Amino acid sequence: MTAALLDALRAALDGHGALVTDPAATTGYAHDMMPLAPYGRPLAVVLPASAEQVQACVRACAAAGVPIVPRGAGTGLTGAANAVDGCVVLATTRMNRILELDPDNRLAVVEPGVVNQDLKTAAAAHGLYYPPDPSSLDTCTLGGNLATNAGGLCCGKYGVTGDYVLGLEAVLADGSLLRTGRRTVKGVAGYDLTRLLVGSEGTLGIITRATLALRPLPAVPGTVVAAFDSVAQAGASVNRIVRAGLVPSLMEIMDATSLRASSAYLGTELVGEGDQALLLCQSDAPGAAREAELDHMERVFRQAGAVYTHATQDAAEGALLLRARRVSLAALEARGACMTEDVAVPRTRIAELIEGCTRIGTDAGLTVAVVGHAGDGNMHPTVLYDGADTGQYARARTAFDAILALALSLGGTITGEHGVGKLKQDWLERELGPVALRVHQGLKDALDPAGLFNPGAVLARRPTGTRRAT
Amino acid sequence: MTAALLDALRAALDGHGALVTDPAATTGYAHDMMPLAPYGRPLAVVLPASAEQVQACVRACAAAGVPIVPRGAGTGLTGAANAVDGCVVLATTRMNRILELDPDNRLAVVEPGVVNQDLKTAAAAHGLYYPPDPSSLDTCTLGGNLATNAGGLCCGKYGVTGDYVLGLEAVLADGSLLRTGRRTVKGVAGYDLTRLLVGSEGTLGIITRATLALRPLPAVPGTVVAAFDSVAQAGASVNRIVRAGLVPSLMEIMDATSLRASSAYLGTELVGEGDQALLLCQSDAPGAAREAELDHMERVFRQAGAVYTHATQDAAEGALLLRARRVSLAALEARGACMTEDVAVPRTRIAELIEGCTRIGTDAGLTVAVVGHAGDGNMHPTVLYDGADTGQYARARTAFDAILALALSLGGTITGEHGVGKLKQDWLERELGPVALRVHQGLKDALDPAGLFNPGAVLARRPTGTRRAT
């Protein structure tokens, strides 16, 4: 049976190491970057080079009743790409061509294995901009970005991956090739299958091509930083920015723990003694409007009681200031094991979330550091613990769950941009309720009745016997 | 049977004329504003006042096996809200409360019967902006806008209805209440059920509440007009605007026939003798950037060979110029019967589409006038014919279909913003292909297995016997 499947996969692919079965090699494809999510041993890893090869692999697996776990670069943070025992992992990394870049229609057509930054670079050569910018943009692939509807630092002004998807091509569980969407700016022909696939974490189809909208490249941003001696004041400042009608191209928040970790990591004194929070804002408005926006932001921060503000139009200085934020997770990881959350709350509740996280940390006898995208309310509290101490691990898990509960109680969501994956399936019903969960299962059954694609992601895995027959 | 259903509906509602059965009155709810789409005679019209009443009506109809056609203000242009014989029309117009307007989180929570302009007005009082602006914005309801994913003139810069929907509440075919989405700016918990409902034309659920994102109110726009002595030059100007990295807040195109009709209708001389096309652009950029953008646009038009350009920052003058575009359909209707199309093409193909429409008109011995949203490629060619002449009607239908075929051949879509409705179901498969159509039917079956909701919209109506049992 297994031998027959491997033969079929070998025939489906084009040789050149496209079928990997050596456990020493397949292990590298068994999980993403979230240590908390479970993963199994794949039977094999396939690296198809075309949609036709993906179709042939899917048909072979469907015939053998062997599940397929699709995967990009494996930079996810929810285990969405984690293998289940005996599955075939399908990595799209070899399908990495930018097939078209059309400046007159401001769009690109790409294969799923294109690295995010590579599209940005190719677009910039035409004066164009592909905004979505997850932290892993130097290595993550657009296929993974699409599967998770990835965000980044740009979202408050520019939206998320899904906002840039005009159309998709995807292989369905029966091996057929689905085309969704369009090449035009607008289009409402039929149900929005494009958006149904985006963020579905490979559970409904395997994306093999995407038509993505681009924007004109904005101006090089100017930067403002503001330090506060309380989280509440920093939170109130976010409200004032919103109330002032400002839309920063970036607005990040860091709490005291994160600030001190980044300071130590970079070996610089980022903050003053009593600073409890830092806001970091940018404006990429055109021409004179940029300086006016930066001035306005700085004024708002001062009025909100900032103990320190600094504005610069110098790009290098802006990048340096942003570095404290960009290194924050690495800086925290240098201190010990980390569980990084991805909750989002209404922008008015940011201070309550951060203060609640600090309290949750204290209750657990652990530290919770918070950084986040203040412009859109998407916060990344990180529970710090000693990985060698099982008691601490258990308390960290409890704190992790308490943060999810806190976010929901503040009118928020369990995931702002990382997804549900194989980590938060149990929380999905708590957020969405039983009716929405039933609809999810109905859609999954409609598109993948045998549960072939990425079992256990988004929705809890059901015993084989309870799956609906095709 | 019928009497029992009417009793159940009466019990479900709150009196006060909420159940209408008089055929003289129900006729007014039997169709929207598209004369080409078929419609039947409703058994009754219900006007529920709450989600609970919608649920009770749906349950009563489901028990009786009587289809429900949801409807807003009936301003649609595809027959999507048209009754089928013996159905219950459910109008959401009484559910017209703005439940919440939250300036700190830039969002509104509304019932589906709120008129589009009423939300705009309420938002503007807080310095906020709800962009989607279908032409019928003074009368159309947000529920209808959501069901059709309506667009308007703002889309090239600000997107369509779906881009502003954070979450929905909808009644499903089994009477249960589904909640989708979130109140946060970002969120990726589960499948995007929000976007699946948006644009589904009432075939998957009845929207009873929506959480909508708002933006800061932009500056009062400045306006540039440019006249060209060929459609090709106007089309090339659109490309040059895109290439120059400009994003006008509005960019409309009118061909010679539309221009002359609007001129006659308004009793003013809008254009010169030889003018073949007019472009009308606006910029709402902040501060000095606005004048710079308007100057840039005017320069681009001159370089592209415009025979006349004029720019103004005066809002009243801008509104006057825009009036020629806004009255265009009324001006054409004053000349005779009209079939208005809603195709969209890549922005680079606008000139080809307009020239092709003129040719199609000539071949049919009729006139085709074209106005459209040049900023996003969504064109509204209108076939003019004599409604009393059956030969002309038949030729007009042939021309209407030829325009759809032309749009597809140019890489476009059969509908940019009006929807499929009960008019273009046969064209949906030609655009999407059999795999996508099969997926559509699978999703419909998953959510509405008995085909209760809006039968015949989006997907062709199947004989009752072929519907899947619940």
Side-chain angles (χ1 to χ4, degrees):
Chain A
M1 182 63 192
T2 296
L5 172 59
L6 293 178
D7 284 345
L9 291 173
R10 203 170 286 114
L13 297 160
D14 60 355
H16 311 299
L19 175 69
V20 183
T21 54
D22 177 357
T26 59
T27 300
Y29 292 89
H31 59 81
D32 68 11
M33 292 175 70
M34 166 46 78
L36 300 186
Y39 63 93
R41 281 167 190 269
L43 167 70
V45 175
V46 292
L47 296 134
S50 67
E52 293 68 31
Q53 291 183 18
V54 174
Q55 288 180 280
C57 289
V58 167
R59 289 195 178 112
C61 288
V66 169
I68 300 183
V69 175
R71 151 191 186 101
T75 58
L77 289 166
T78 65
N82 282 13
V84 294
D85 278 333
C87 78
V88 169
V89 171
L90 187 151
T92 58
T93 39
R94 282 180 69 210
M95 297 172 65
N96 62 358
R97 291 175 302 166
I98 297 174
L99 299 169
E100 196 184 339
L101 211 147
D102 177 352
D104 289 320
N105 289 300
R106 284 188 191 140
L107 62 82
V109 181
V110 300
E111 290 186 322
V114 172
V115 168
N116 179 297
Q117 180 62 53
D118 290 346
L119 176 59
K120 282 189 198 299
T121 304
H126 296 272
L128 293 170
Y129 178 41
Y130 176 69
D133 61 345
S135 300
S136 53
L137 57 86
D138 287 330
T139 49
C140 66
T141 62
L142 295 170
N145 295 174
L146 291 161
T148 56
N149 197 8
L153 306 189
C154 72
C155 311
K157 181 163 182 179
Y158 292 112
V160 296
T161 299
D163 297 316
Y164 292 87
V165 190
L166 298 174
L168 294 173
E169 179 192 271
V171 175
L172 299 180
D174 64 359
S176 58
L177 194 67
L178 171 70
R179 288 191 186 84
T180 76
R182 55 189 203 274
R183 279 178 74 93
T184 54
V185 178
K186 278 155 80 179
V188 290
Y191 301 151
D192 197 341
L193 304 185
T194 305
R195 283 290 191 136
L196 182 61
L197 286 172
V198 171
S200 66
E201 301 185 3
T203 63
L204 302 179
I206 301 174
I207 294 167
T208 51
R209 185 176 289 202
T211 304
L212 303 173
L214 306 171
R215 303 175 55 100
L217 204 57
V220 174
T223 307
V224 186
V225 286
F228 298 87
D229 55 19
S230 82
V231 166
Q233 273 179 323
S237 294
V238 173
N239 295 2
R240 283 168 183 248
I241 289 284
V242 173
R243 277 279 188 165
L246 290 162
V247 183
S249 59
L250 177 150
M251 178 157 60
E252 296 291 310
I253 191 166
M254 298 179 72
D255 75 352
T257 307
S258 309
L259 282 168
R260 276 153 194 70
S262 287
S263 280
Y265 188 80
L266 295 172
T268 60
E269 201 54 58
L270 284 167
V271 279
E273 191 91 0
D275 295 353
Q276 293 303 310
L278 190 82
L279 281 175
L280 213 154
C281 281
Q282 292 192 323
S283 165
D284 62 3
R290 184 166 60 264
E291 192 165 353
E293 268 196 17
L294 293 169
D295 283 353
H296 196 169
M297 290 177 197
E298 196 172 10
R299 216 158 53 235
V300 167
F301 293 144
R302 286 217 198 96
Q303 284 162 359
V307 294
Y308 171 79
T309 66
H310 173 63
T312 178
Q313 290 245 40
D314 184 82
E317 193 186 359
L320 210 64
L321 292 167
L322 201 57
R323 205 162 163 235
R325 166 65 184 92
R326 291 216 183 265
V327 301
S328 60
L329 187 57
L332 292 169
E333 281 171 343
R335 291 182 45 172
C338 292
M339 293 185 189
T340 297
E341 263 293 0
D342 169 48
V343 294
V345 292
R347 280 172 289 201
T348 45
R349 316 300 292 269
I350 291 173
E352 283 167 87
L353 182 85
I354 297 176
E355 288 165 350
C357 285
T358 306
R359 213 164 39 239
I360 286 167
T362 307
D363 290 351
L366 297 169
T367 299
V368 178
V370 185
V371 299
H373 313 305
D376 58 42
N378 184 196
M379 297 289 119
H380 297 305
T382 296
V383 187
L384 307 174
Y385 65 102
D386 178 349
D389 180 332
T390 53
Q392 281 208 14
Y393 176 86
R395 296 209 306 279
R397 281 298 318 225
T398 304
F400 191 84
D401 281 356
I403 294 168
L404 292 174
L406 172 63
L408 289 182
S409 77
L410 294 173
T413 172
I414 57 166
T415 172
E417 60 183 6
H418 295 170
V420 174
K422 287 159 185 160
L423 185 69
K424 296 182 181 173
Q425 308 99 317
D426 295 343
W427 282 87
L428 193 64
E429 182 165 0
R430 286 183 64 169
E431 174 165 341
L432 301 180
V435 175
L437 209 74
R438 187 153 42 76
V439 171
H440 273 71
Q441 195 61 62
L443 297 178
K444 171 72 173 170
D445 287 344
L447 273 107
D448 179 17
L452 187 74
F453 286 151
N454 208 4
V458 185
L459 302 166
R461 193 175 184 177
R462 292 183 294 180
T464 309
T466 66
R467 275 180 221 139
R468 219 172 65 185
T470 17
Chain B
M1 180 63 192
T2 299
L5 172 59
L6 293 177
D7 284 346
L9 291 173
R10 204 171 283 115
L13 297 159
D14 59 355
H16 309 302
L19 176 68
V20 184
T21 54
D22 178 356
T26 58
T27 300
Y29 293 88
H31 59 80
D32 68 11
M33 292 176 69
M34 166 45 78
L36 301 186
Y39 64 93
R41 280 168 191 270
L43 167 70
V45 175
V46 292
L47 296 132
S50 68
E52 293 68 30
Q53 291 183 19
V54 174
Q55 289 181 280
C57 289
V58 167
R59 289 194 178 111
C61 288
V66 168
I68 301 183
V69 175
R71 150 192 188 101
T75 58
L77 289 166
T78 65
N82 283 12
V84 295
D85 278 332
C87 78
V88 168
V89 171
L90 187 151
T92 58
T93 40
R94 281 179 71 210
M95 298 173 66
N96 60 359
R97 292 175 301 166
I98 296 174
L99 299 169
E100 196 183 340
L101 212 145
D102 178 350
D104 288 321
N105 289 300
R106 285 190 192 141
L107 62 82
V109 181
V110 299
E111 291 185 321
V114 172
V115 168
N116 178 297
Q117 180 62 53
D118 291 346
L119 177 59
K120 281 187 197 299
T121 305
H126 295 273
L128 293 171
Y129 177 41
Y130 176 70
D133 60 345
S135 299
S136 53
L137 56 88
D138 288 328
T139 49
C140 67
T141 62
L142 295 170
N145 295 173
L146 291 161
T148 57
N149 196 8
L153 306 189
C154 72
C155 312
K157 181 163 182 179
Y158 291 111
V160 297
T161 299
D163 296 316
Y164 293 87
V165 190
L166 297 174
L168 293 173
E169 179 192 271
V171 176
L172 299 180
D174 64 1
S176 58
L177 196 66
L178 171 70
R179 286 191 188 84
T180 76
R182 55 189 202 273
R183 276 179 77 92
T184 53
V185 178
K186 277 155 82 178
V188 291
Y191 300 152
D192 196 343
L193 304 185
T194 305
R195 284 290 191 134
L196 183 60
L197 287 171
V198 170
S200 66
E201 302 185 2
T203 62
L204 301 179
I206 301 176
I207 294 167
T208 52
R209 187 175 287 204
T211 304
L212 303 173
L214 305 171
R215 301 174 58 99
L217 205 55
V220 174
T223 306
V224 187
V225 286
F228 298 87
D229 55 19
S230 81
V231 165
Q233 273 179 324
S237 293
V238 173
N239 294 2
R240 283 170 183 247
I241 290 283
V242 173
R243 276 280 189 164
L246 290 161
V247 183
S249 59
L250 177 149
M251 178 157 60
E252 296 290 309
I253 191 167
M254 299 178 72
D255 74 353
T257 307
S258 310
L259 281 168
R260 276 155 193 74
S262 287
S263 278
Y265 188 80
L266 295 172
T268 60
E269 201 56 56
L270 285 166
V271 281
E273 190 90 2
D275 294 355
Q276 294 300 311
L278 191 82
L279 281 176
L280 212 155
C281 279
Q282 292 191 324
S283 166
D284 63 2
R290 186 166 58 263
E291 192 165 355
E293 267 197 17
L294 293 170
D295 283 352
H296 196 168
M297 289 177 198
E298 196 171 11
R299 216 160 51 238
V300 167
F301 293 145
R302 285 216 198 96
Q303 284 162 358
V307 293
Y308 171 79
T309 66
H310 173 63
T312 178
Q313 290 244 41
D314 183 81
E317 193 186 357
L320 210 65
L321 291 168
L322 202 56
R323 203 160 164 237
R325 165 65 184 92
R326 290 217 183 265
V327 301
S328 60
L329 188 55
L332 293 170
E333 280 171 343
R335 290 183 47 173
C338 292
M339 292 182 190
T340 298
E341 262 296 359
D342 169 48
V343 293
V345 292
R347 281 173 287 201
T348 43
R349 315 301 291 270
I350 291 174
E352 284 169 87
L353 182 85
I354 297 177
E355 289 165 347
C357 285
T358 306
R359 215 165 37 239
I360 286 166
T362 306
D363 291 349
L366 298 168
T367 300
V368 179
V370 185
V371 300
H373 313 305
D376 57 42
N378 184 195
M379 297 289 120
H380 297 305
T382 296
V383 186
L384 306 174
Y385 64 102
D386 177 351
D389 180 333
T390 51
Q392 281 206 14
Y393 176 85
R395 295 206 308 277
R397 284 293 325 223
T398 304
F400 191 85
D401 281 358
I403 294 167
L404 293 173
L406 172 63
L408 290 182
S409 77
L410 294 172
T413 170
I414 57 166
T415 173
E417 60 183 5
H418 295 170
V420 173
K422 287 160 184 157
L423 185 69
K424 295 182 181 174
Q425 308 97 319
D426 296 342
W427 282 87
L428 193 64
E429 183 166 357
R430 285 182 64 170
E431 176 165 342
L432 301 180
V435 175
L437 209 74
R438 186 154 42 78
V439 171
H440 273 71
Q441 194 63 59
L443 298 177
K444 171 72 172 168
D445 288 343
L447 273 106
D448 180 16
L452 188 74
F453 285 152
N454 208 5
V458 185
L459 301 167
R461 193 173 183 178
R462 290 183 295 179
T464 310
T466 66
R467 275 178 223 141
R468 217 172 65 181
T470 16

